[in-house]
Amino acid sequence: MSENKKTSISLVLGSGGARGLAHIGVIHWLEEQGFEIASISGCSMGALIGGIYAAGKLDVFEHWVRDISKVDIFTLLDLSWQKNGLVKGDKIIATLTELVGDINIEELPIKYTAVAADIANEKEVWLSSGSLFSAIRASISLPLFFTPFHYNGVDLIDGGVLNPVPIAPTFSDNTDFSVAVNLGGSIKTLNDAETQVSLIENKPSSKLDSFLARFKSKAVLHNANEWGAYDVVNQAFDAMQSTIARQKLATYPADYFVEIARNACGTLEFHRADEMIKLGYDTAQASLTTLKNNE
């Protein structure tokens, strides 16, 4: 590789709710090593982090999300009172648009694709033009939590339903390597003491946590056998995405992988930003040593 030319990367950012904050740490590691992120494909939280990075505003978003436990995030949850989802998502998108700016994907300095799912027709939808935050809103439409997003005449939901780690949009990229970040990795088991500490550290601490607690059973240890409805849906969705991701990655492997355990944090535990960003950075450092050596 020429000394004057950076190694270019196609970065694939998977879905996984708040675990997606680990994407920020992965991006920091890649940048520190001098890699050029020339293309991003993402779904759900991967689409959100990737789109904000492509817009050049990741530092602004990171500052905001690291401080999220100190703000009244409950006000961002605009209840839909509809059968097809708990939250409309308009306030969240409006807040992010205010942070980042209203921008079209065509204006981004790097190639970007958000992946959503047209569940009625059982197919992926690749969003690579038009409003950035419309594409993100479509891609993050977590079933039961967000209402589906009506986009170009079609109701779209979270891309992770069909493809949690969307590598295919990068196939035509003229980059040196592809790096995929899978947030549905194997479960890491905590011992009883660690589990107790985790439950204490993550007890409800904001209006958001109290609000979500209505939909969850009381916190229990990992060896308990009774879950609330929210836990069942959340665990089922994570397990489904993990299975699909393994199948997709086996068929269309990236050059390099970063894998985050799917129980690293809960889907909606955004107050754990510091922890997740560090986990992403540390995992990238451990997983991508070969990439650095091959530069």
Side-chain angles (χ1 to χ4, degrees):
M1 187 68 59
S2 168
E3 292 184 3
N4 297 323
K5 184 178 184 299
K6 289 185 175 182
T7 300
S8 58
I9 300 293
S10 291
L11 185 59
V12 182
L13 301 178
S15 64
R19 292 189 303 281
L21 296 171
H23 292 322
I24 298 174
V26 175
I27 290 171
H28 284 332
W29 187 89
L30 289 169
E31 287 192 320
E32 286 182 10
Q33 304 310 311
F35 295 107
E36 177 192 0
I37 300 173
S39 168
I40 291 178
S41 172
C43 69
S44 196
M45 194 63 181
L48 190 152
I49 298 295
I52 291 174
Y53 172 77
K57 297 291 186 177
L58 188 61
D59 56 340
V60 176
F61 173 79
E62 181 179 349
H63 177 78
W64 177 77
V65 79
R66 282 184 183 272
D67 196 44
I68 208 165
S69 62
K70 300 177 182 178
V71 300
D72 192 3
I73 195 169
F74 179 77
T75 61
L76 298 178
L77 297 181
D78 44 357
L79 300 185
S80 68
W81 305 113
Q82 298 177 28
K83 293 181 180 180
N84 61 354
L86 183 66
V87 175
K88 289 189 292 184
D90 295 345
K91 289 185 179 180
I92 292 174
I93 293 300
T95 299
L96 294 175
T97 301
E98 185 176 347
L99 284 171
V100 175
D102 189 7
I103 187 171
N104 285 335
I105 295 173
E106 297 92 331
E107 301 173 60
L108 299 175
I110 65 176
K111 179 186 173 187
Y112 170 81
T113 304
V115 176
D118 174 359
I119 200 66
N121 294 301
E122 301 179 5
K123 66 179 183 179
E124 296 176 33
V125 176
W126 296 1
L127 305 170
S128 55
S129 63
S131 166
L132 172 63
F133 278 105
S134 288
I136 289 172
R137 173 62 182 86
S139 189
I140 67 171
S141 299
L142 181 67
L144 297 182
F145 187 74
F146 283 116
T147 58
F149 187 68
H150 196 69
Y151 189 84
N152 290 340
V154 179
D155 285 329
L156 300 178
I157 64 172
D158 194 310
V161 169
L162 296 179
N163 195 351
V165 191
I167 294 177
T170 70
F171 285 168
S172 62
D173 291 349
N174 185 26
T175 54
D176 296 309
F177 299 107
S178 59
V179 174
V181 184
N182 176 21
L183 303 177
S186 301
I187 289 176
K188 292 190 176 179
T189 305
L190 299 175
N191 61 39
D192 288 346
E194 289 173 325
T195 306
Q196 289 279 14
V197 171
S198 178
L199 290 174
I200 292 171
E201 288 179 344
N202 296 298
K203 65 181 183 297
S205 58
S206 69
K207 290 182 180 180
L208 173 60
D209 298 319
S210 299
F211 172 77
L212 294 175
R214 300 180 196 174
F215 303 93
K216 300 178 68 173
S217 64
K218 189 178 297 182
V220 294
L221 295 178
H222 68 277
N223 61 351
N225 57 14
E226 293 187 2
W227 289 350
Y230 172 88
D231 299 293
V232 172
V233 172
N234 192 35
Q235 292 281 353
F237 192 66
D238 278 350
M240 178 196 72
Q241 287 191 106
S242 179
T243 301
I244 295 172
R246 285 198 303 271
Q247 294 172 345
K248 294 281 188 179
L249 293 173
T251 305
Y252 303 109
D255 296 315
Y256 297 92
F257 295 96
V258 176
E259 187 173 277
I260 304 295
R262 67 177 183 269
N263 65 332
C265 83
T267 301
L268 302 173
E269 293 182 323
F270 289 95
H271 60 282
R272 298 174 65 184
D274 290 349
E275 178 186 347
M276 287 300 102
I277 293 170
K278 183 179 187 302
L279 177 62
Y281 183 94
D282 291 346
T283 308
Q285 186 164 264
S287 304
L288 300 176
T289 302
T290 307
L291 170 60
K292 180 60 179 173
N293 293 338
N294 287 339
E295 185 181 3

